[in-house]
Amino acid sequence: MNNPENFRIIVVDDEIRAVEGLVELLRLDGYVVAGYSEPLQVLGHLKKASADLLLTDLKMPEMDGLELLQQVKTLDPALNVVMITGQGTVNDAVAAMKAGADDYLIKPLNVDELGIVISRIFTTRELLRQNQMLREASRESVTQEDFVGRSPKMQQIFRALRDVAPTMATVLIEGETGTGKELVARALHRHGLRSEKPLVTINCAALHEGLLESELFGHVKGAFTGAVRNKPGKFALADGGTIFLDEIGDMALSVQAKLLRVLVSGEFQQVGGEQTHYVDVRVLAATNKNLLQAVAAGEFREDLYYRLNVIQFTLPPLRERFGDIALLVKYFCQQIAEREGRQAVFPERDAMHLLENSLWPGNVRELENVIERAVIYAKEQPISIDDLPESLQARAVLAATLKDDSKNGADNSFTGLTIKEAEKQMILAALERCPSKAQAARELGISVRKIEYRVKEWQKQ
Ligand SMILES: Nc1ncnc2c1ncn2[C@@H]1O[C@H](COP(=O)(O)OP(=O)(O)OP(=O)(O)O)[C@@H](O)[C@H]1O
Ligand SMILES: [Mg+2]
């Protein structure tokens, strides 16, 4: 079932009573409705905001329904229009259909018939929307490989990738967790001069000092208990290719000294070994720490920092590129569908709104996980708000607060409040500001049900 809160209807009739009745009826069904008594108001509305369906009376003094139909179609060719005619004007209704109306209804309106016509248009529109997202997602995946992003910050990263990949430069990739650091490392290798040779990855945070040294440089038989045979390290394995040192900010100082030596001269010794080995390796490193701060704190060698930081990539967190969220969501929906060998499904409008307006502390990885789960819960239907984690709604409220504050430049009026209290203030303010609950819900990026639930909770207090 499609969620009616995702469907915006405009009603226009010169008889105000008729408008009021229709608006009330449709709102009860959960649709987002605006009602007007003059066609010009409809045009004004459409210049500012979009809509899905226009229900228009045919005979109106200022401008008749047919003329309005033509004008709204120039503003928004995709808008669906249903003409409402009096009895005995069926010929006009047919003319309206020829001029591009989707259907017509005869006064007095039959409520069941109205419901059927609206839900048919709604279903078709939602289907078209899903198809459009499918097309966009497949176009995106062909052009950008496994990297998605249209925001200026990501475009800058892509440009830098193209420039830096085919060089031997050492690269330091910084960014919060889940922002795509490993993806950058792999892309640098794939488009590099050594793409035929191995890319060897090591996570420096996963191993303690001694083991990390042995993993990186190898050890000789008998070097320590358990070293029963000679073992080459990752640097030797990466010879001629690329090594990716992930989480380098967590590397112990003693290992940092040995790493510096390889970077400077290509030389190293295995743990317990005497012999000096030489390698020719391109080095990529990543960290979610601020390495300069680590240098200041004495946890990271300054000389090593400058050796690594020949070229720096800083991946922006999702909160600095909200605009990429919809794109990523479509891309993940498409990827999952391909993997599972089924038809892709995408979020309904309000679910997408919530995803785009939430905070993402886990960045792209978290978004990807949320979509993966949602696709499973949605059972081959478009993803609805109910398929998304509850916590997103509270986060969206918080995100809206942060956005508002930065817009107003005001000091944080929510300072000292708990999230629950801030949420209450925001919901109440939205209810006051918006003509309908559905609109308030949309602006806040939460469901109407959630608002109703909260209001009931407060009433009980
Ligand atoms: N721009 C992007 N387009 C498509 N997928 C992305 C993008 N950025 C990240 N991802 C996906 O998000 C997930 C996390 O990315 P990745 O592992 O590269 O992040 P990371 O910065 O290395 O995270 P961590 O610091 O936690 O190791 C991966 O599945 C990756 O494919
Ligand atoms: Mg990583």
Side-chain angles (χ1 to χ4, degrees), residues 99-113:
D102 297 274
D103 214 331
Y104 66 90
L105 293 163
I106 295 175
K107 283 185 184 177
L109 291 181
N110 172 320
V111 176
D112 292 338
E113 203 181 337

Side-chain angles (χ1 to χ4, degrees), residues 146-149 154 158 175-184 186 246-247 288 315 321 328 331-332 364-365 368:
D146 46 6
F147 245 126
V148 175
M154 285 310 288
F158 297 150
E176 289 177 18
T177 183
T179 45
K181 297 185 292 295
E182 186 161 350
L183 219 52
V184 168
R186 277 193 264 130
D246 204 359
E247 315 285 2
N288 55 22
L315 285 168
R321 48 184 174 112
L328 284 162
Y331 172 74
F332 291 138
V364 187
R365 176 178 298 109
E368 187 176 6

